[in-house]
Amino acid sequence: MLRTHTCGELRLNDVNQEIVLCGWVQRVRNKGSVVWVDLRDRYGITQLIFEEAETASELMDQASKLGREFVVKASGMVVERVSKNDKIPTGDIEIKVTGLEILNRSEVPPFTIEDDTDGGDDLRMKYRYLDLRRGPVRNNLTLRHKMMQETRAYLDGQSFTEVETPVLIKSTPEGARDFVVPSRMNEGEFYALPQSPQTFKQLLMVSGFDRYFQIVKCFRDEDLRADRQPEFTQIDCEMSFVEREDVLHTFEGLIRHLFRTIKNVDIGEIDRMSYEDAIRLYGTDKPDTRFEMQFVALNDVAQGKGFNVFDSAELVVGICAKGCAGYSRKQLDALTDYVKRPQIGAKGLVYVKYQPAGEAGNSDASFKSSVDKFYDQNDLKAWADKMNAEPGDLLLVLSGEKDHTRKALNELRLHMGNSLGLRNKDEYKVLWVLDFPLFEWDEETERYHAMHHPFTSPKPEDLDKLESDPGSVKANAYDMVINGVEAGGGSLRIHDRTVQQRMFRQLGFSEEEAQAQFGFLMEAFEYGAPPHGGIAYGFDRLCALFGGSDSIRDFIAFPKNNSGRDVMIDSPAKVSHEQLDELGIRLVDR
Amino acid sequence: MLRTHTCGELRLNDVNQEIVLCGWVQRVRNKGSVVWVDLRDRYGITQLIFEEAETASELMDQASKLGREFVVKASGMVVERVSKNDKIPTGDIEIKVTGLEILNRSEVPPFTIEDDTDGGDDLRMKYRYLDLRRGPVRNNLTLRHKMMQETRAYLDGQSFTEVETPVLIKSTPEGARDFVVPSRMNEGEFYALPQSPQTFKQLLMVSGFDRYFQIVKCFRDEDLRADRQPEFTQIDCEMSFVEREDVLHTFEGLIRHLFRTIKNVDIGEIDRMSYEDAIRLYGTDKPDTRFEMQFVALNDVAQGKGFNVFDSAELVVGICAKGCAGYSRKQLDALTDYVKRPQIGAKGLVYVKYQPAGEAGNSDASFKSSVDKFYDQNDLKAWADKMNAEPGDLLLVLSGEKDHTRKALNELRLHMGNSLGLRNKDEYKVLWVLDFPLFEWDEETERYHAMHHPFTSPKPEDLDKLESDPGSVKANAYDMVINGVEAGGGSLRIHDRTVQQRMFRQLGFSEEEAQAQFGFLMEAFEYGAPPHGGIAYGFDRLCALFGGSDSIRDFIAFPKNNSGRDVMIDSPAKVSHEQLDELGIRLVDR
């Protein structure tokens, strides 16, 4: 090695050692008679010192001319510092430099390489290799590294075999759009990049692999949102001869192991909730259960009192914000504006302040609401009782069509959770959501889609309703939700050819289509397919969760932007006519 | 779990336990009053027993009707076997079955699921999920799993960070052909799949990651040979602030760790050889050093004696086959035929038998050769001395143009090594080949190509010959060769923009081409790029080596055939017109 030590390891007991360090110049402080240089590498920062009295003048001169981000090799002796720096582990020592070699120069970087940089997003993405030098970004990727190692350690310990499934597979129209890859050797034909290794992992179960895992790149050609990337990483797992409880137990184990080894956190009890309850109590299938504030339906106490907005509503539903009765007019208006934003789309917000005794001139507790015209104190007391509200609380009520209203109230609940500091990013609440519907009705195409995917097993007791009442069929599916984020999801799978065929039929596949796309899987089911099930975690998102960030991009070394571009390497890009010709394709002239 | 135990774990001390097993029916033996069923899963085989005297008659009936590869769940009691089977770990016990459930039926498999199957290659590939049930194939993938875990354990222990580099990158015409992926969001533009993460790992070094690794899929759209796949896996590594010795030392450590943990083998000394010596002594840059039989040039002793074939040859070169002087005329003819095969292309083969005293009627040792007409006993003695031959040995000599002759003699040497049993697949010999030329001349395009790749650093002492005498410039490159197979290769890299530009110029890139394709890398070199170097191992091949096989396909779960097809899922395949239209491409009508 060009160095004897890294910039993060020298301590007081190394004093008087002759050492060599390599790294990047973080900072130069030149006091004329003394020059200090902070030398940085991945492992830390060590201070170099050049003193007029003791350092050769050429060396002084060389040191004072070092620029930011120069790469240097410095040799010298470890000495104790006069004024120590207790903010860094090497802060007790410095290096009295006797030799300095510039290994490479650096232009002035387009933004500062500091924890808080002055670089904007676009600039940092273009120069991602410089952005990656910054502590917070490096820490994110170090976290990711550790999560990969610990994930594999746990699964290997549970007898899972890591198997690499192919990246060049076959396009299937079901689900999101595939990326396709023209084949030169099979002109006119295309590979597709996998949206997940779903069918392969099921085939591995048919093969008797018993327990499979892989941390694997997947691909989706979707219009990108902030937290989506065209290529993303999954922890993909499958097990044979299992019941639902076995899968839940195994992956509770994984998540416990990760929290313990990576964050030194015991996540305690993992709650379970049915999909139905999640929707009813939180208006979403991924509730943030770090805080309560559950939905309470008020139809029976709020309807029939002459308030037409409520009377005509399918659902009147509220949440109770603890201790918020003192909200000002301005605050309440802001909440109303919040729910009326087009993304949320509520028509309005009804509030009820449960004012404690002694306030507003009342000797008893009393109610003040935006619908006092329609509801008297007794009416509002009934609401408050139903919601377990206490004096000092604020009730927030929405109404309208059921699904729509729940969605809006979910947003309001999360908003209130944020305002009240109930969503602490250092607190973790893990939840299983269970018993999803097998299908969801798509208004646009007027047909049923698979809520998870077409290989999800219906609950055995619902099997006979698959054709007669598909909407009521429950799936043997489960999602793991952490702090309101869907971390992973899976299901027991169909392992019977006939059931799989019925499923495809329900999803609108013709016999021929099903055969052409999934014939190999259905044929595999003819040769002794075991009962099996599994799960997949969104690994980028899991890393972001552990890192306390909302953005998966911060946890990907070289992410793409919202147009699917890598602005650093400038990709995608045009390719030559010859290359396309060899592939037997040409561009459409529009 | 549907089972209490696996089919591989029950032993004598489990006798009298009530257990449940799940697995596949390997074999049914029906003796009328007794039925035995071998139940198989990934972990082993356990014998089930059904006895007329003790088993309910429905159960007897059910058992006797089980077909091969049926999936069953059997409950019962562990009992000691009367006649034990010492060939399997569970051979001391069997299960007296009291309950049997068929979890899934199976058609008769298209080939037998046995270690030695009757299935041909094509059939096994089409039903790969059944082939994967066979012990040898499963063992290969288990080996692969272990090699992945141990590789990461070693590298993690050496402070390497695992970083996932992108799969959707940019096409570069240098090297092999890229697979490309049309971008829908950026119509008319394409991503490419990486042939290796080379530029990204170098950028990670510029980022200060210091030590990077990844076990990663790479892609090459090449016409396939037996040991090539369009998608393959690399162990990809890079380190900063290193000299060549540091890389060699670190990866000797990796390979030692793998041999020790996976095969319980100490590989001993790792030899080193220059590229020049490898070519001179073995005629290849990947010599199999499990056996000697080095080349000896004979020009000075064989030329000028009137044998025109040798006199006009650039090189006369031979090998000494120990103890083969007794080869028959037929054996020698077969060797001659071997070297004259078009793939090898020698014009002929000269042999010299060094006959021990007492043979062929001679009281002294003597020589018998195919060129006795031109060479007397003294001449041949001079050859033998030069080759350190002893009585009883056979000298095999080729001649002609240097490169061609060495290639042919390399093949003959390997052939003799096989014949003489010198290439034992349980013996491992690891070798570093060093000091490769930087460039190789391509006759076809009449220009220099990079022997490794364009980012390989020339040896500093040869830098001034880059333009004046490119053919003589040595690279700071190294290959790890195991048993004559190139397991890995790498180099110290260029980290200086000017040198990189000179390199691109030598490779025939215009300034604009270099900028368009690798501008981001050269720009990165302006911002403090550290000296760095690395290596990549062909992981599929490494697994095959460890598994004692020549075929990488045996170590890939779902390989493609020589036309790049996955015959199981029937991919690549046609995609819909709509899909192509969305991507803005169409097929060329030819």
Side-chain angles (χ1 to χ4, degrees), chain B residues 543-573:
Chain B
C543 291
L545 257 169
F546 272 66
S549 165
D550 291 333
S551 160
I552 63 170
R553 211 179 284 183
D554 296 343
F555 293 81
I556 296 173
F558 300 102
K560 293 183 175 58
N561 73 9
N562 282 349
S563 327
R565 294 200 73 82
D566 181 329
V567 293
M568 178 185 71
I569 64 171
D570 191 23
S571 159

Side-chain angles (χ1 to χ4, degrees), chain B residues 208-275:
Chain B
F209 265 72
D210 205 65
R211 296 180 164 210
Y212 142 91
F213 85 97
Q214 194 183 185
I215 301 182
V216 60
K217 276 279 175 79
C218 301
F219 306 86
R220 252 176 236 167
D221 185 11
E222 284 178 336
D223 298 320
L224 301 175
R225 301 198 306 252
D227 63 340
R228 287 275 175 92
Q229 286 278 313
E231 55 178 297
F232 55 98
T233 303
Q234 272 185 201
I235 307 174
D236 193 48
C237 307
E238 198 79 4
M239 314 168 71
S240 289
F241 301 118
V242 287
E243 294 168 294
R244 186 182 78 181
E245 199 53 39
D246 303 311
V247 183
L248 300 191
H249 179 76
T250 304
F251 291 95
E252 285 184 17
L254 170 62
I255 213 74
R256 265 183 216 293
H257 176 82
L258 290 176
F259 272 107
R260 197 177 56 243
T261 54
I262 307 281
K263 308 226 34 123
N264 199 23
V265 162
D266 176 1
I267 48 166
E269 191 71 19
I270 294 182
D271 289 325
R272 297 179 180 197
M273 193 182 292
S274 71
Y275 172 84

Side-chain angles (χ1 to χ4, degrees), chain A residues 2-65:
Chain A
L2 300 181
R3 65 194 175 208
T4 58
H5 294 78
T6 70
C7 296
E9 64 180 306
L10 293 169
R11 299 288 184 275
L12 262 187
N13 57 5
D14 297 306
V15 162
N16 286 330
Q17 252 199 83
E18 292 285 347
I19 58 89
V20 184
L21 298 182
C22 291
W24 285 261
V25 172
Q26 174 81 16
R27 210 149 66 110
V28 179
R29 277 164 302 152
N30 190 342
K31 298 273 181 195
S33 61
V34 191
V35 180
W36 290 279
V37 175
D38 281 354
L39 195 65
R40 186 197 70 232
D41 67 12
R42 168 186 136 193
Y43 309 93
I45 286 180
T46 299
Q47 180 168 291
L48 311 179
I49 184 165
F50 304 78
E51 286 176 285
E52 204 166 49
E54 314 198 20
T55 310
S57 64
E58 301 79 28
L59 206 52
M60 283 299 286
D61 199 43
Q62 217 186 340
S64 61
K65 283 184 188 152

Side-chain angles (χ1 to χ4, degrees), chain A residues 188-376:
Chain A
E189 299 189 326
F190 293 77
Y191 301 102
L193 304 181
Q195 297 183 31
S196 94
Q198 184 62 35
T199 49
F200 287 96
K201 70 177 175 177
Q202 292 193 244
L203 290 175
L204 286 171
M205 293 306 104
V206 175
S207 299
F209 266 72
D210 204 64
R211 297 182 163 207
Y212 141 91
F213 86 98
Q214 192 182 189
I215 301 183
V216 60
K217 277 281 175 78
C218 299
F219 306 86
R220 253 174 233 166
D221 185 12
E222 283 179 335
D223 298 318
L224 301 175
R225 300 196 308 251
D227 64 338
R228 288 274 176 91
Q229 286 277 316
E231 55 179 297
F232 55 98
T233 303
Q234 271 186 200
I235 305 173
D236 193 50
C237 307
E238 199 78 5
M239 314 167 70
S240 288
F241 301 118
V242 287
E243 294 170 296
R244 186 182 75 179
E245 199 53 38
D246 303 310
V247 183
L248 301 191
H249 179 75
T250 304
F251 291 95
E252 287 183 16
L254 171 62
I255 212 75
R256 263 183 219 293
H257 175 82
L258 290 177
F259 272 108
R260 198 177 55 244
T261 53
I262 307 281
K263 309 223 37 117
N264 199 22
V265 162
D266 176 3
I267 49 167
E269 191 70 19
I270 295 181
D271 289 327
R272 297 178 180 200
M273 192 182 294
S274 72
Y275 172 85
E276 239 173 59
D277 281 349
I279 297 295
R280 188 171 55 80
L281 297 172
Y282 298 95
T284 173
D285 59 0
K286 33 182 182 285
D288 183 348
T289 49
R290 278 173 298 184
F291 65 110
E292 283 280 322
M293 214 186 276
Q294 290 182 347
F295 292 9
V296 178
L298 297 172
N299 292 43
D300 55 347
V301 291
Q303 289 184 324
K305 303 283 177 170
F307 181 41
N308 189 43
V309 173
F310 280 7
D311 288 352
S312 65
E314 185 183 6
L315 179 68
V316 183
V317 61
I319 52 175
C320 171
K322 287 287 177 205
C324 296
Y327 264 35
S328 66
R329 158 64 51 191
K330 199 174 151 192
Q331 283 176 299
L332 291 166
D333 284 350
L335 288 183
T336 308
D337 290 346
Y338 180 80
V339 298
K340 288 168 85 171
R341 288 159 56 168
Q343 310 93 297
I344 299 182
K347 292 276 195 314
L349 172 69
V350 167
Y351 69 81
V352 183
K353 294 175 168 189
Y354 194 166
Q355 296 167 317
E359 277 189 22
N362 295 315
S363 58
D364 292 331
S366 66
F367 298 92
K368 173 83 192 76
S369 84
S370 55
V371 285
D372 282 350
K373 210 174 359 166
F374 303 99
Y375 300 94
D376 64 21

Side-chain angles (χ1 to χ4, degrees), chain A residues 1-3 22 24 42-43 69 71 104-108 127 129 132-133 141 144-145 148-149 152 156 159-171 177 180-182 184-187 189-191 200 203 206-211 217 221-223 231 233 240-243 246 495 520 523-524 526-529 557-558 560 562-565 568-573 579-588 590, chain B residues 1-3 22 24 42-43 69 71 104-108 127 129 132-133 141 144-145 148-149 152 156 159-171 177 180-182 184-187 189-191 200 203 206-211 217 219 221-223 231 233 240-242 246 495 520 523-524 526-529 557-558 560 562-565 568-573 579-588 590:
Chain A
M1 301 292 295
L2 300 181
R3 65 194 175 208
C22 291
W24 285 261
R42 168 186 136 193
Y43 309 93
E69 302 304 322
V71 187
N104 217 338
R105 305 180 159 272
S106 175
E107 299 285 321
V108 176
Y127 296 93
Y129 48 86
L132 288 171
R133 281 189 196 163
L141 292 179
R144 187 178 177 114
H145 163 83
M148 284 196 276
Q149 310 316 312
R152 295 199 198 92
D156 182 43
S159 299
F160 283 77
T161 304
E162 186 174 357
V163 181
E164 293 158 84
T165 53
V167 176
L168 297 172
I169 63 164
K170 187 157 116 173
S171 189
R177 228 181 256 105
V180 297
V181 182
R184 180 180 56 86
M185 290 174 74
N186 303 274
E187 201 177 292
E189 299 189 326
F190 293 77
Y191 301 102
F200 287 96
L203 290 175
V206 175
S207 299
F209 266 72
D210 204 64
R211 297 182 163 207
K217 277 281 175 78
D221 185 12
E222 283 179 335
D223 298 318
E231 55 179 297
T233 303
S240 288
F241 301 118
V242 287
E243 294 170 296
D246 303 310
H495 65 281
F520 62 96
E523 190 166 9
E526 301 271 34
Y527 291 101
F558 299 101
K560 292 184 176 55
N562 281 349
S563 324
R565 294 201 72 82
M568 180 184 72
I569 64 170
D570 191 25
S571 157
Q579 217 169 338
L580 295 183
D581 195 55
E582 253 193 337
L583 295 169
I585 61 175
R586 69 166 60 116
L587 301 180
V588 172
R590 314 207 209 232
Chain B
M1 300 293 297
L2 300 180
R3 66 193 174 207
C22 291
W24 285 261
R42 168 186 134 193
Y43 310 93
E69 301 305 320
V71 187
N104 217 339
R105 302 180 162 273
S106 175
E107 300 286 321
V108 175
Y127 296 94
Y129 48 86
L132 287 172
R133 279 187 196 163
L141 292 178
R144 188 178 175 112
H145 162 83
M148 283 196 276
Q149 311 314 314
R152 295 199 199 92
D156 183 41
S159 299
F160 282 77
T161 304
E162 186 173 356
V163 180
E164 292 158 86
T165 53
V167 176
L168 297 171
I169 65 164
K170 189 157 114 173
S171 188
R177 230 182 254 103
V180 298
V181 182
R184 180 181 55 85
M185 292 176 73
N186 303 274
E187 200 178 295
E189 299 188 325
F190 292 77
Y191 301 101
F200 287 96
L203 290 174
V206 176
S207 298
F209 265 72
D210 205 65
R211 296 180 164 210
K217 276 279 175 79
F219 306 86
D221 185 11
E222 284 178 336
D223 298 320
E231 55 178 297
T233 303
S240 289
F241 301 118
V242 287
D246 303 311
H495 65 282
F520 62 96
E523 191 166 8
E526 301 271 33
Y527 291 102
F558 300 102
K560 293 183 175 58
N562 282 349
S563 327
R565 294 200 73 82
M568 178 185 71
I569 64 171
D570 191 23
S571 159
Q579 217 169 338
L580 294 183
D581 195 54
E582 253 193 335
L583 295 170
I585 60 175
R586 68 165 62 113
L587 300 180
V588 173
R590 316 202 208 232

